Amino acid sequence: MKVEEILLKSWYISVDPYMRGRMNEVKSYVPPFQVDQPITGRVVARVIESKSKSFSEGDIVIGNLPWATYCIEKAEKLRKIETHLIPPSYNLGILGMPGLTAYFGIMDIGKPKEGETVVISGAAGAVGIVAGQIAKIQGSFVMGITGSDDKCKMLKEEFGFDAALNYKTTKTLRKTIAGLCKNGVDVYFDNVGGEVTDAVVSNLNFHSRIALCGQISHYNSLRIPTGPVILPMLLTRSVMLQGFIVGNYSDRFVEAYAQLTQWVTEGKLKYKETIIRGFNKLPDAFLGLFSGINQGKMLVEIE
Ligand code: NDP
């Protein structure tokens, strides 16, 4: 090992839907993964050996690291994390990229006012579960859309959502949303796209806002999907639609991290993780995001 290099043992590896996009040879905000190179992503790891004064053996760090049991990384690419008050894995979820995404989508784009109605799709996942709770903190009526009755129950009973629906078993999505959101929809935080989004959009109020965060229902599509043409409706109802990538807000991460940490330590934000154990389970965990086997953040713990 050279000076300023650190030997790391992976502890928690994050699997995320955006990685699917990196498996296509297309122009995007991150370059595609390369064949014969390891997949990289957010990893929490232990320092095994350090050639840097900034890190000592036993420190817990986070970084963009390869999917590997062990790796050597430059010290400048790593950040030491606090592990006494908050579980280290939270740095990959509520206090990591998914939590920051929820924060900016709600606080900067959706901007729900007290009493307004906020709908979250992909509500029981890493981003959605946080987005819904932040909207509740703002005093909104919050409805979550997700893929099972158990997840609906969890959203209402554990996370304080006012209403939830299972998009896989609801036959008339548009009407059911209208029935649950009696005052229409003021903010839509979209994680999924497709038919779910078409149904929400037809319930949008005048001057409503869409935080376009993810479109997971399209990530495996081989062709550009077609569906209802929604732009005329956005025009006539003066709807604001903004697509965003969390990295757009990198200059405000400190602010968001401080606020999320405060809400977590005060017990105002709760969190859930689905942790699968074993390095060889990484592909199953990643694919599970697309069949919805996770509640909250999906992680793989490396033994
Ligand atoms: P999740 O933890 O929400 O996991 C994905 C979930 O998506 C699954 O659990 C499943 O839940 C749901 N899902 C899968 N396939 C479909 C489908 N065809 N239709 C509807 N729902 C589906 O992942 P994240 O919270 O990490 O990410 C959520 C979204 O946010 C993704 O689209 C992701 O790409 C995006 N994202 C965007 C960021 C940004 O910067 N803009 C940053 C981070 C994430 P269910 O049981 O409900 O179907």
mmCIF file of all heavy atoms in Angstrom, residues 11 126 149 174 202 212 236 277:
data_model
loop_
_atom_site.group_PDB
_atom_site.id
_atom_site.type_symbol
_atom_site.label_atom_id
_atom_site.label_comp_id
_atom_site.label_asym_id
_atom_site.label_seq_id
_atom_site.Cartn_x
_atom_site.Cartn_y
_atom_site.Cartn_z
ATOM 1 N N TRP A 11 -18.790 -3.183 4.775
ATOM 2 C CA TRP A 11 -19.737 -3.581 5.820
ATOM 3 C C TRP A 11 -21.161 -3.579 5.227
ATOM 4 O O TRP A 11 -21.796 -4.619 5.135
ATOM 5 C CB TRP A 11 -19.604 -2.631 7.027
ATOM 6 C CG TRP A 11 -20.417 -3.017 8.215
ATOM 7 C CD1 TRP A 11 -21.238 -4.114 8.331
ATOM 8 C CD2 TRP A 11 -20.489 -2.328 9.462
ATOM 9 N NE1 TRP A 11 -21.813 -4.137 9.572
ATOM 10 C CE2 TRP A 11 -21.372 -3.061 10.292
ATOM 11 C CE3 TRP A 11 -19.911 -1.159 9.966
ATOM 12 C CZ2 TRP A 11 -21.684 -2.655 11.591
ATOM 13 C CZ3 TRP A 11 -20.217 -0.758 11.260
ATOM 14 C CH2 TRP A 11 -21.098 -1.510 12.062
ATOM 15 N N ALA A 126 -36.883 3.675 0.095
ATOM 16 C CA ALA A 126 -35.888 4.486 0.813
ATOM 17 C C ALA A 126 -36.190 5.981 0.738
ATOM 18 O O ALA A 126 -36.133 6.691 1.745
ATOM 19 C CB ALA A 126 -34.501 4.203 0.227
ATOM 20 N N ASP A 149 -50.423 -4.637 0.350
ATOM 21 C CA ASP A 149 -51.267 -4.223 1.486
ATOM 22 C C ASP A 149 -50.424 -4.060 2.740
ATOM 23 O O ASP A 149 -50.679 -3.171 3.557
ATOM 24 C CB ASP A 149 -52.383 -5.252 1.726
ATOM 25 C CG ASP A 149 -53.395 -5.248 0.580
ATOM 26 O OD1 ASP A 149 -53.381 -4.276 -0.220
ATOM 27 O OD2 ASP A 149 -54.176 -6.212 0.474
ATOM 28 N N ARG A 174 -57.362 6.192 -10.788
ATOM 29 C CA ARG A 174 -57.700 7.630 -10.819
ATOM 30 C C ARG A 174 -58.825 7.946 -9.846
ATOM 31 O O ARG A 174 -58.745 8.867 -9.043
ATOM 32 C CB ARG A 174 -58.093 8.025 -12.250
ATOM 33 C CG ARG A 174 -58.336 9.500 -12.441
ATOM 34 C CD ARG A 174 -58.705 9.810 -13.881
ATOM 35 N NE ARG A 174 -59.915 9.119 -14.325
ATOM 36 C CZ ARG A 174 -61.160 9.495 -14.033
ATOM 37 N NH1 ARG A 174 -61.367 10.560 -13.285
ATOM 38 N NH2 ARG A 174 -62.191 8.814 -14.478
ATOM 39 N N SER A 202 -54.117 13.276 -13.261
ATOM 40 C CA SER A 202 -55.474 13.742 -13.556
ATOM 41 C C SER A 202 -56.197 14.249 -12.303
ATOM 42 O O SER A 202 -57.277 14.808 -12.394
ATOM 43 C CB SER A 202 -56.284 12.642 -14.253
ATOM 44 O OG SER A 202 -56.275 11.500 -13.458
ATOM 45 N N LEU A 212 -40.286 15.553 -9.796
ATOM 46 C CA LEU A 212 -40.043 14.363 -10.618
ATOM 47 C C LEU A 212 -38.711 13.748 -10.215
ATOM 48 O O LEU A 212 -37.646 14.176 -10.662
ATOM 49 C CB LEU A 212 -40.046 14.764 -12.098
ATOM 50 C CG LEU A 212 -39.895 13.655 -13.116
ATOM 51 C CD1 LEU A 212 -40.961 12.583 -12.929
ATOM 52 C CD2 LEU A 212 -39.989 14.229 -14.518
ATOM 53 N N THR A 236 -53.067 23.730 -18.583
ATOM 54 C CA THR A 236 -54.332 24.382 -18.222
ATOM 55 C C THR A 236 -54.503 24.509 -16.709
ATOM 56 O O THR A 236 -55.264 25.343 -16.239
ATOM 57 C CB THR A 236 -55.530 23.620 -18.810
ATOM 58 O OG1 THR A 236 -55.424 22.247 -18.403
ATOM 59 C CG2 THR A 236 -55.566 23.709 -20.326
ATOM 60 N N ARG A 277 -28.205 -10.420 3.937
ATOM 61 C CA ARG A 277 -26.829 -10.714 4.369
ATOM 62 C C ARG A 277 -26.081 -11.586 3.363
ATOM 63 O O ARG A 277 -26.635 -12.564 2.864
ATOM 64 C CB ARG A 277 -26.847 -11.363 5.752
ATOM 65 C CG ARG A 277 -27.299 -10.340 6.778
ATOM 66 C CD ARG A 277 -27.170 -10.690 8.206
ATOM 67 N NE ARG A 277 -27.420 -9.464 8.972
ATOM 68 C CZ ARG A 277 -28.638 -8.941 9.190
ATOM 69 N NH1 ARG A 277 -29.718 -9.519 8.699
ATOM 70 N NH2 ARG A 277 -28.773 -7.818 9.866
#
